[in-house]
Coordinates of all heavy atoms in Angstrom, one line a residue:
M27 N 139.0 39.2 49.4 CA 139.2 37.9 50.0 C 139.0 37.9 51.4 O 139.2 39.0 52.1 CB 140.7 37.5 49.7 CG 141.1 36.2 50.4 SD 141.9 34.9 49.6 CE 141.6 35.0 47.9
G28 N 138.4 36.9 52.0 CA 138.1 36.9 53.4 C 139.4 36.8 54.3 O 140.4 36.5 53.8
S29 N 139.3 37.3 55.5 CA 140.4 37.2 56.4 C 140.7 35.8 56.9 O 139.7 35.1 57.2 CB 140.3 38.2 57.5 OG 139.3 37.7 58.4
T30 N 141.9 35.4 56.9 CA 142.3 34.1 57.4 C 143.5 34.1 58.3 O 144.4 34.7 58.1 CB 142.7 33.2 56.2 OG1 141.6 33.2 55.2 CG2 143.0 31.8 56.6
E31 N 143.3 33.6 59.5 CA 144.4 33.4 60.4 C 144.6 31.9 60.5 O 143.7 31.1 60.8 CB 144.0 34.0 61.8 CG 143.8 35.5 61.8 CD 143.4 36.0 63.1 OE1 143.7 35.3 64.2 OE2 142.8 37.1 63.2
W32 N 145.8 31.4 60.3 CA 146.1 30.0 60.3 C 147.3 29.8 61.0 O 148.4 30.4 60.8 CB 146.2 29.5 58.9 CG 146.7 28.1 58.9 CD1 147.9 27.5 58.5 CD2 145.8 26.9 59.2 NE1 147.9 26.2 58.7 CE2 146.7 25.8 59.1 CE3 144.6 26.8 59.7 CZ2 146.2 24.5 59.4 CZ3 144.1 25.5 60.0 CH2 144.9 24.4 59.8
N33 N 147.3 28.8 61.9 CA 148.5 28.3 62.7 C 148.8 27.0 62.1 O 148.1 26.0 62.3 CB 148.2 28.2 64.2 CG 149.3 27.8 65.0 OD1 150.2 27.1 64.5 ND2 149.3 28.0 66.3
A34 N 150.0 26.9 61.5 CA 150.4 25.6 60.8 C 150.5 24.4 61.8 O 150.4 23.3 61.4 CB 151.7 25.8 60.0
D35 N 150.6 24.7 63.1 CA 150.7 23.6 64.1 C 149.3 23.1 64.5 O 149.3 22.1 65.3 CB 151.4 24.1 65.3 CG 152.9 24.5 65.0 OD1 153.5 23.8 64.1 OD2 153.4 25.3 65.7
N36 N 148.3 23.7 64.0 CA 146.9 23.2 64.4 C 146.8 21.7 64.1 O 147.0 21.3 62.9 CB 145.9 24.0 63.6 CG 144.5 23.9 64.1 OD1 144.1 22.8 64.5 ND2 143.8 24.9 64.2
R37 N 146.4 20.9 65.0 CA 146.3 19.6 64.9 C 145.1 19.1 64.0 O 145.0 17.9 63.8 CB 146.2 18.9 66.3 CG 147.5 19.0 67.1 CD 147.3 18.4 68.4 NE 146.3 19.0 69.2 CZ 145.6 18.3 70.1 NH1 145.9 17.1 70.4 NH2 144.7 18.9 70.8
T38 N 144.3 20.0 63.6 CA 143.1 19.5 62.8 C 143.5 19.1 61.4 O 142.7 18.6 60.7 CB 142.0 20.6 62.8 OG1 142.6 21.8 62.4 CG2 141.5 20.8 64.2
G39 N 144.7 19.5 60.9 CA 145.2 18.9 59.7 C 144.9 19.7 58.4 O 144.3 20.8 58.4
A40 N 145.2 19.0 57.3 CA 145.2 19.7 56.0 C 143.8 20.0 55.6 O 143.6 21.0 54.8 CB 145.8 18.7 55.0
K41 N 142.8 19.2 55.9 CA 141.4 19.5 55.5 C 141.0 20.9 56.0 O 140.4 21.7 55.3 CB 140.5 18.4 56.0 CG 139.1 18.5 55.5 CD 138.2 17.3 55.8 CE 136.9 17.3 55.3 NZ 136.1 16.2 55.6
V42 N 141.2 21.2 57.3 CA 140.8 22.5 57.8 C 141.7 23.6 57.3 O 141.2 24.7 56.9 CB 140.9 22.5 59.4 CG1 140.8 23.9 59.9 CG2 139.9 21.6 59.9
Q43 N 143.0 23.3 57.0 CA 143.8 24.3 56.4 C 143.3 24.7 55.0 O 143.2 25.9 54.6 CB 145.3 23.8 56.3 CG 146.2 24.9 55.7 CD 147.6 24.4 55.6 OE1 147.9 23.3 56.0 NE2 148.5 25.3 55.2
A44 N 142.9 23.7 54.2 CA 142.3 24.0 52.9 C 141.0 24.8 53.0 O 140.9 25.7 52.2 CB 142.1 22.6 52.2
M45 N 140.2 24.5 53.9 CA 139.0 25.3 54.1 C 139.3 26.7 54.5 O 138.7 27.7 54.0 CB 138.1 24.7 55.2 CG 136.8 25.3 55.4 SD 135.7 24.5 56.6 CE 136.7 24.5 58.1
C46 N 140.3 26.9 55.4 CA 140.6 28.3 55.8 C 141.2 29.1 54.5 O 141.0 30.2 54.4 CB 141.7 28.2 56.9 SG 141.0 27.7 58.5
E47 N 142.0 28.4 53.8 CA 142.6 29.1 52.7 C 141.7 29.4 51.5 O 141.9 30.2 50.7 CB 143.8 28.3 52.1 CG 145.0 28.2 53.2 CD 146.1 27.3 52.8 OE1 145.9 26.5 51.8 OE2 147.1 27.3 53.5
A48 N 140.5 28.6 51.5 CA 139.6 28.8 50.4 C 138.4 29.7 50.8 O 137.4 29.7 50.1 CB 139.0 27.4 50.0
A49 N 138.6 30.5 51.8 CA 137.5 31.4 52.3 C 137.0 32.3 51.1 O 137.8 32.9 50.4 CB 137.9 32.2 53.4
R50 N 135.7 32.4 51.0 CA 135.1 33.2 49.9 C 135.2 34.7 50.4 O 135.4 35.0 51.6 CB 133.7 32.9 49.7 CG 133.5 31.5 49.1 CD 132.0 31.3 48.8 NE 131.8 29.9 48.7 CZ 130.7 29.3 49.0 NH1 129.7 30.0 49.4 NH2 130.5 28.0 48.8
S51 N 135.1 35.6 49.5 CA 135.2 37.0 49.8 C 134.2 37.5 50.9 O 134.4 38.4 51.6 CB 135.1 37.9 48.6 OG 133.8 37.7 47.9
S52 N 133.0 36.9 50.9 CA 132.0 37.3 51.9 C 132.2 36.6 53.2 O 131.4 36.8 54.1 CB 130.6 37.0 51.3 OG 130.4 35.6 51.1
E53 N 133.1 35.7 53.3 CA 133.3 34.9 54.6 C 134.6 35.4 55.3 O 135.5 35.9 54.7 CB 133.4 33.5 54.3 CG 132.2 32.9 53.6 CD 132.5 31.4 53.1 OE1 133.6 31.1 52.9 OE2 131.5 30.8 52.9
S54 N 134.6 35.1 56.6 CA 135.8 35.3 57.3 C 136.1 34.0 58.1 O 135.2 33.6 58.8 CB 135.6 36.5 58.3 OG 136.8 36.7 59.0
V55 N 137.2 33.5 57.9 CA 137.6 32.2 58.6 C 138.8 32.5 59.5 O 139.8 33.0 59.0 CB 137.9 31.1 57.6 CG1 138.4 29.8 58.3 CG2 136.7 30.8 56.7
I56 N 138.7 32.2 60.8 CA 139.7 32.3 61.7 C 140.0 31.0 62.3 O 139.2 30.4 63.0 CB 139.4 33.4 62.8 CG1 139.0 34.7 62.2 CG2 140.5 33.5 63.8 CD1 138.4 35.7 63.1
C57 N 141.2 30.5 62.0 CA 141.7 29.2 62.5 C 142.7 29.5 63.6 O 143.6 30.3 63.4 CB 142.2 28.3 61.4 SG 141.0 27.9 60.1
F58 N 142.7 28.7 64.7 CA 143.6 29.0 65.7 C 143.8 27.7 66.5 O 143.1 26.8 66.4 CB 143.1 30.1 66.6 CG 141.8 29.7 67.4 CD1 141.8 29.2 68.6 CD2 140.6 30.0 66.7 CE1 140.6 28.8 69.3 CE2 139.4 29.6 67.4 CZ 139.4 29.1 68.6
R59 N 144.8 27.7 67.3 CA 145.1 26.7 68.3 C 145.0 27.3 69.7 O 145.7 28.2 70.0 CB 146.5 26.1 68.2 CG 146.7 24.9 69.1 CD 147.9 24.2 68.8 NE 148.0 23.1 69.7 CZ 148.9 22.1 69.5 NH1 149.7 22.2 68.5 NH2 148.9 21.1 70.3
A60 N 144.0 26.8 70.5 CA 143.7 27.4 71.8 C 144.9 27.1 72.8 O 145.5 26.1 72.7 CB 142.5 26.8 72.4
D61 N 145.1 28.0 73.7 CA 146.1 27.9 74.7 C 145.4 28.3 76.0 O 145.2 29.5 76.2 CB 147.3 28.7 74.4 CG 148.4 28.5 75.4 OD1 148.4 27.4 76.1 OD2 149.2 29.4 75.6
P62 N 145.1 27.3 76.9 CA 145.3 25.9 76.8 C 144.4 25.2 75.7 O 143.4 25.8 75.4 CB 145.0 25.4 78.2 CG 144.0 26.4 78.7 CD 144.3 27.7 78.1
D63 N 144.9 24.1 75.3 CA 144.2 23.3 74.2 C 143.0 22.6 74.8 O 143.1 21.5 75.2 CB 145.2 22.3 73.6 CG 144.6 21.7 72.4 OD1 143.6 22.1 71.8 OD2 145.2 20.7 71.9
S64 N 141.9 23.4 75.1 CA 140.7 22.8 75.7 C 139.5 23.7 75.3 O 139.7 24.8 74.6 CB 140.9 23.0 77.2 OG 141.0 24.3 77.6
T65 N 138.4 23.3 75.6 CA 137.1 24.1 75.4 C 137.2 25.4 76.1 O 136.9 26.4 75.5 CB 135.9 23.3 75.8 OG1 135.9 22.0 75.1 CG2 134.6 24.0 75.5
R66 N 137.7 25.4 77.3 CA 137.9 26.7 78.0 C 138.8 27.6 77.3 O 138.6 28.8 77.1 CB 138.4 26.4 79.4 CG 138.4 27.7 80.2 CD 138.8 27.3 81.7 NE 138.9 28.5 82.5 CZ 139.2 28.5 83.7 NH1 139.5 27.4 84.4 NH2 139.2 29.6 84.4
G67 N 139.9 27.1 76.8 CA 140.9 27.9 76.0 C 140.2 28.4 74.7 O 140.5 29.6 74.3
E68 N 139.5 27.6 74.0 CA 138.8 28.0 72.8 C 137.8 29.2 73.2 O 137.8 30.2 72.4 CB 138.0 26.9 72.2 CG 138.9 25.8 71.6 CD 138.2 24.5 71.2 OE1 137.0 24.3 71.6 OE2 138.8 23.7 70.5
A69 N 137.1 29.0 74.2 CA 136.1 30.0 74.6 C 136.8 31.3 75.0 O 136.3 32.4 74.6 CB 135.3 29.5 75.8
S70 N 137.9 31.2 75.6 CA 138.7 32.5 76.0 C 139.2 33.2 74.7 O 139.1 34.4 74.6 CB 139.9 32.1 76.9 OG 139.4 31.6 78.1
F71 N 139.7 32.4 73.8 CA 140.2 33.0 72.5 C 139.0 33.7 71.8 O 139.1 34.8 71.3 CB 140.9 32.0 71.6 CG 141.5 32.5 70.4 CD1 142.7 33.1 70.4 CD2 140.7 32.5 69.2 CE1 143.3 33.6 69.2 CE2 141.3 33.1 68.0 CZ 142.5 33.7 68.1
V72 N 137.9 33.0 71.6 CA 136.8 33.5 71.0 C 136.2 34.8 71.7 O 135.8 35.7 71.0 CB 135.6 32.5 70.8 CG1 134.4 33.1 70.3 CG2 136.2 31.4 69.9
A73 N 136.3 34.8 73.0 CA 135.9 36.0 73.7 C 136.7 37.2 73.3 O 136.2 38.3 73.2 CB 136.0 35.8 75.2
K74 N 138.0 37.1 73.0 CA 138.8 38.1 72.6 C 138.4 38.6 71.2 O 138.4 39.8 70.9 CB 140.3 37.7 72.6 CG 140.9 37.5 74.0 CD 142.3 37.0 73.9 CE 142.7 36.6 75.3 NZ 144.0 35.9 75.3
L75 N 138.1 37.6 70.3 CA 137.5 38.0 69.0 C 136.2 38.7 69.1 O 136.0 39.7 68.3 CB 137.3 36.7 68.1 CG 138.6 35.9 67.8 CD1 138.2 34.7 67.1 CD2 139.5 36.8 66.9
V76 N 135.4 38.3 70.0 CA 134.1 39.0 70.2 C 134.3 40.5 70.5 O 133.7 41.4 69.9 CB 133.2 38.3 71.3 CG1 132.1 39.2 71.7 CG2 132.8 36.9 70.8
K77 N 135.2 40.8 71.5 CA 135.5 42.1 71.8 C 136.2 42.9 70.6 O 135.7 44.0 70.4 CB 136.4 42.2 73.0 CG 135.7 41.9 74.3 CD 136.7 42.1 75.5 CE 135.9 41.8 76.7 NZ 136.7 42.0 77.9
R78 N 137.1 42.3 70.0 CA 137.8 42.9 68.9 C 136.9 43.3 67.7 O 137.0 44.4 67.1 CB 139.0 42.0 68.3 CG 139.8 42.7 67.3 CD 140.8 41.8 66.6 NE 141.5 40.9 67.5 CZ 142.1 39.7 67.1 NH1 142.1 39.5 65.8 NH2 142.6 38.9 67.9
H79 N 136.0 42.4 67.4 CA 135.1 42.6 66.2 C 133.7 43.2 66.6 O 133.0 43.5 65.7 CB 134.9 41.3 65.4 CG 136.2 40.8 64.9 ND1 136.8 41.3 63.7 CD2 137.0 39.8 65.3 CE1 137.9 40.6 63.4 NE2 138.1 39.7 64.4
G80 N 133.5 43.3 67.9 CA 132.1 43.8 68.3 C 131.0 42.9 68.0 O 129.8 43.3 67.8
W81 N 131.2 41.6 67.9 CA 130.2 40.6 67.7 C 129.2 40.6 68.8 O 129.6 40.7 70.0 CB 130.7 39.3 67.5 CG 131.7 39.1 66.2 CD1 131.7 39.9 65.2 CD2 132.7 38.2 66.1 NE1 132.7 39.5 64.3 CE2 133.3 38.4 64.8 CE3 133.1 37.1 66.8 CZ2 134.3 37.6 64.3 CZ3 134.2 36.3 66.3 CH2 134.8 36.6 65.1
R82 N 127.9 40.4 68.6 CA 126.9 40.3 69.6 C 126.3 38.9 69.7 O 125.6 38.6 70.6 CB 125.8 41.3 69.3 CG 126.3 42.8 69.5 CD 125.2 43.8 69.4 NE 124.2 43.4 68.3 CZ 124.2 43.9 67.1 NH1 125.1 44.8 66.7 NH2 123.2 43.6 66.3
K83 N 126.5 38.1 68.6 CA 125.9 36.7 68.6 C 127.0 35.7 68.1 O 127.8 36.1 67.2 CB 124.8 36.7 67.7 CG 123.6 37.6 68.1 CD 122.5 37.6 67.1 CE 121.4 38.6 67.5 NZ 120.3 38.6 66.6
L84 N 126.9 34.5 68.6 CA 127.8 33.4 68.2 C 127.0 32.2 67.9 O 126.1 31.9 68.7 CB 128.9 33.1 69.2 CG 129.9 34.1 69.6 CD1 130.7 33.6 70.8 CD2 130.8 34.4 68.5
V85 N 127.3 31.5 66.8 CA 126.7 30.2 66.6 C 127.8 29.2 67.0 O 128.9 29.2 66.4 CB 126.3 30.0 65.2 CG1 125.7 28.6 65.0 CG2 125.2 31.0 64.8
L86 N 127.5 28.4 68.0 CA 128.5 27.4 68.5 C 128.2 26.0 67.9 O 127.2 25.4 68.2 CB 128.4 27.3 70.0 CG 129.3 26.3 70.7 CD1 130.8 26.5 70.4 CD2 129.1 26.3 72.2
V87 N 129.0 25.6 67.0 CA 128.8 24.3 66.3 C 129.8 23.3 66.8 O 131.0 23.5 66.7 CB 129.0 24.4 64.8 CG1 128.7 23.0 64.1 CG2 128.1 25.4 64.2
T88 N 129.3 22.2 67.4 CA 130.2 21.1 67.9 C 129.4 19.8 68.0 O 128.2 19.9 67.8 CB 130.7 21.5 69.3 OG1 131.8 20.6 69.6 CG2 129.7 21.6 70.3
S89 N 130.0 18.8 68.3 CA 129.3 17.5 68.4 C 128.2 17.6 69.4 O 128.3 18.3 70.4 CB 130.3 16.4 68.8 OG 131.3 16.3 67.9
D90 N 127.1 16.9 69.1 CA 126.0 17.0 70.0 C 126.3 16.7 71.5 O 125.8 17.4 72.4 CB 124.8 16.1 69.5 CG 125.2 14.7 69.3 OD1 126.3 14.3 69.5 OD2 124.3 13.9 69.0
Y91 N 127.2 15.8 71.7 CA 127.5 15.4 73.1 C 128.4 16.5 73.8 O 128.6 16.4 75.0 CB 128.1 14.0 73.2 CG 129.2 13.8 72.4 CD1 130.6 14.0 72.8 CD2 129.1 13.2 71.1 CE1 131.6 13.8 72.0 CE2 130.1 13.0 70.3 CZ 131.4 13.3 70.7 OH 132.5 13.0 69.9
H92 N 129.0 17.4 73.1 CA 129.8 18.5 73.6 C 129.0 19.7 73.9 O 129.5 20.6 74.6 CB 130.9 18.8 72.7 CG 132.0 17.8 72.6 ND1 132.8 17.4 73.6 CD2 132.5 17.1 71.5 CE1 133.6 16.5 73.3 NE2 133.5 16.3 72.0
I93 N 127.8 19.8 73.4 CA 127.0 21.0 73.5 C 126.8 21.6 74.9 O 127.1 22.8 75.2 CB 125.7 20.9 72.8 CG1 125.9 21.0 71.3 CG2 124.6 21.9 73.2 CD1 126.3 22.4 70.7
P94 N 126.4 20.8 75.9 CA 126.2 21.3 77.2 C 127.5 22.0 77.8 O 127.4 23.1 78.3 CB 125.7 20.1 78.1 CG 125.2 19.2 77.1 CD 126.0 19.4 75.8
R95 N 128.6 21.3 77.8 CA 129.8 21.8 78.3 C 130.4 23.0 77.5 O 130.7 24.1 78.1 CB 130.9 20.7 78.4 CG 132.3 21.2 78.9 CD 133.3 20.0 78.9 NE 133.1 19.1 77.7 CZ 133.8 19.4 76.6 NH1 134.4 20.5 76.4 NH2 133.6 18.6 75.5
S96 N 130.3 22.9 76.2 CA 130.8 24.0 75.4 C 130.0 25.3 75.5 O 130.5 26.3 75.6 CB 130.9 23.5 73.9 OG 131.7 22.4 73.7
T97 N 128.7 25.1 75.5 CA 127.8 26.2 75.7 C 128.1 26.9 77.0 O 128.1 28.2 77.1 CB 126.3 25.8 75.6 OG1 126.1 25.2 74.3 CG2 125.4 26.9 75.8
M98 N 128.3 26.1 78.1 CA 128.6 26.7 79.4 C 129.8 27.6 79.3 O 129.8 28.7 79.8 CB 128.8 25.6 80.5 CG 129.2 26.1 81.8 SD 129.9 24.8 82.9 CE 131.5 24.5 82.1
W99 N 130.9 27.0 78.7 CA 132.1 27.8 78.7 C 132.0 29.1 77.8 O 132.5 30.1 78.2 CB 133.3 27.0 78.3 CG 133.8 26.1 79.4 CD1 133.8 24.7 79.5 CD2 134.5 26.5 80.6 NE1 134.4 24.3 80.6 CE2 134.8 25.4 81.3 CE3 134.8 27.8 81.1 CZ2 135.4 25.5 82.6 CZ3 135.4 27.9 82.3 CH2 135.7 26.7 83.1
F100 N 131.4 28.9 76.7 CA 131.3 30.1 75.8 C 130.4 31.2 76.5 O 130.7 32.3 76.4 CB 130.8 29.7 74.5 CG 131.9 29.2 73.6 CD1 132.4 27.9 73.7 CD2 132.4 30.0 72.6 CE1 133.5 27.5 72.9 CE2 133.5 29.6 71.8 CZ 134.0 28.3 72.0
R101 N 129.4 30.8 77.2 CA 128.5 31.8 77.9 C 129.2 32.4 79.0 O 129.0 33.6 79.4 CB 127.2 31.1 78.3 CG 126.3 30.9 77.1 CD 125.0 30.3 77.5 NE 124.1 30.2 76.3 CZ 123.1 29.4 76.2 NH1 122.8 28.6 77.2 NH2 122.4 29.4 75.1
R102 N 130.1 31.7 79.7 CA 130.9 32.2 80.8 C 131.9 33.2 80.4 O 132.3 34.1 81.1 CB 131.6 31.1 81.6 CG 130.7 30.4 82.5 CD 131.5 29.4 83.3 NE 130.6 28.6 84.2 CZ 131.0 27.6 85.0 NH1 132.3 27.4 85.1 NH2 130.2 27.0 85.8
C103 N 132.5 33.0 79.2 CA 133.6 33.7 78.7 C 133.3 35.0 77.9 O 134.2 35.8 77.6 CB 134.6 32.8 77.9 SG 135.5 31.6 78.9
T104 N 132.0 35.1 77.4 CA 131.7 36.2 76.6 C 130.3 36.8 76.9 O 129.5 36.0 77.4 CB 131.8 35.8 75.1 OG1 131.5 37.0 74.3 CG2 130.8 34.7 74.7
D105 N 130.1 38.0 76.5 CA 128.8 38.6 76.7 C 127.9 38.4 75.5 O 126.7 38.7 75.5 CB 128.9 40.1 77.0 CG 129.5 40.4 78.4 OD1 129.3 39.5 79.3 OD2 130.2 41.4 78.5
A106 N 128.4 37.9 74.4 CA 127.7 37.6 73.2 C 126.6 36.6 73.5 O 126.8 35.7 74.3 CB 128.5 37.2 72.0
E107 N 125.5 36.6 72.7 CA 124.5 35.6 72.8 C 125.0 34.4 72.1 O 125.6 34.4 71.0 CB 123.2 36.0 72.1 CG 122.4 37.1 72.7 CD 121.2 37.5 72.0 OE1 120.4 36.6 71.7 OE2 121.1 38.6 71.6
V108 N 125.0 33.2 72.8 CA 125.5 32.0 72.2 C 124.4 31.1 71.8 O 123.5 30.8 72.6 CB 126.4 31.2 73.3 CG1 127.0 29.9 72.7 CG2 127.6 32.2 73.7
Y109 N 124.4 30.7 70.5 CA 123.4 29.8 70.0 C 124.0 28.5 69.7 O 124.8 28.3 68.7 CB 122.8 30.4 68.7 CG 122.1 31.7 68.9 CD1 122.7 33.0 68.8 CD2 120.7 31.7 69.3 CE1 122.1 34.1 69.0 CE2 120.1 32.9 69.5 CZ 120.7 34.1 69.4 OH 120.1 35.3 69.6
P110 N 123.7 27.5 70.5 CA 124.2 26.1 70.3 C 123.7 25.5 69.0 O 122.5 25.6 68.8 CB 123.9 25.3 71.5 CG 123.4 26.3 72.5 CD 122.9 27.5 71.7
A111 N 124.5 24.9 68.2 CA 124.1 24.1 67.0 C 124.7 22.8 67.0 O 125.9 22.6 66.5 CB 124.5 25.0 65.8
P112 N 124.1 21.8 67.6 CA 124.7 20.5 67.7 C 124.8 19.8 66.3 O 123.9 19.9 65.5 CB 123.7 19.7 68.6 CG 122.4 20.5 68.6 CD 122.8 21.9 68.2
A113 N 125.9 19.1 66.1 CA 126.2 18.3 64.9 C 126.4 16.9 65.3 O 126.9 16.6 66.4 CB 127.4 18.9 64.3
V114 N 125.9 16.0 64.5 CA 126.0 14.6 64.8 C 127.3 14.1 64.2 O 127.5 14.4 63.0 CB 124.8 13.8 64.2 CG1 125.0 12.3 64.5 CG2 123.5 14.3 64.8
P115 N 128.2 13.6 65.0 CA 129.5 13.2 64.5 C 129.4 12.0 63.5 O 128.5 11.3 63.5 CB 130.3 12.8 65.7 CG 129.4 12.7 66.8 CD 128.1 13.3 66.4

């Protein structure tokens, strides 16, 4: 089974919780609530995961209009290569 970290207080709701709990064996899903609750907080948390797991590349998926700011924070907070993947909301 894939590893799952879930914080029940996460404001994203039941749909994300179900996705986290249904992780396939070849997948790893890590759900968290950033502190502070911001893009910068998310980037800081992911930077810790990058170090812990030895990741060298990240795919950053977010709304197309968040890509410039999100990419900036994730590149500032980690040494991993960040590949922006804009999604249309």
Side-chain angles (χ1 to χ4, degrees):
M27 173 132 335
S29 71
T30 303
E31 295 178 22
W32 174 254
N33 179 341
D35 294 331
N36 192 318
R37 293 182 297 155
T38 56
K41 187 173 184 178
V42 171
Q43 182 176 3
M45 184 174 58
C46 290
E47 291 172 352
R50 295 183 199 152
S51 61
S52 64
E53 299 171 339
S54 179
V55 178
I56 301 170
C57 299
F58 63 94
R59 183 172 184 168
D61 184 24
D63 189 14
S64 64
T65 303
R66 184 177 182 181
E68 293 169 348
S70 294
F71 184 85
V72 170
K74 292 175 188 172
L75 292 175
V76 166
K77 284 186 179 183
R78 183 185 327 159
H79 295 282
W81 297 337
R82 295 185 320 261
K83 299 177 183 180
L84 296 173
V85 176
L86 175 62
V87 181
T88 189
S89 299
D90 56 355
Y91 54 87
H92 288 301
I93 283 290
R95 176 181 42 83
S96 299
T97 302
M98 175 197 70
W99 279 115
F100 276 77
R101 286 182 174 157
R102 284 184 182 180
C103 290
T104 182
D105 292 331
E107 291 181 56
V108 177
Y109 297 91
V114 179

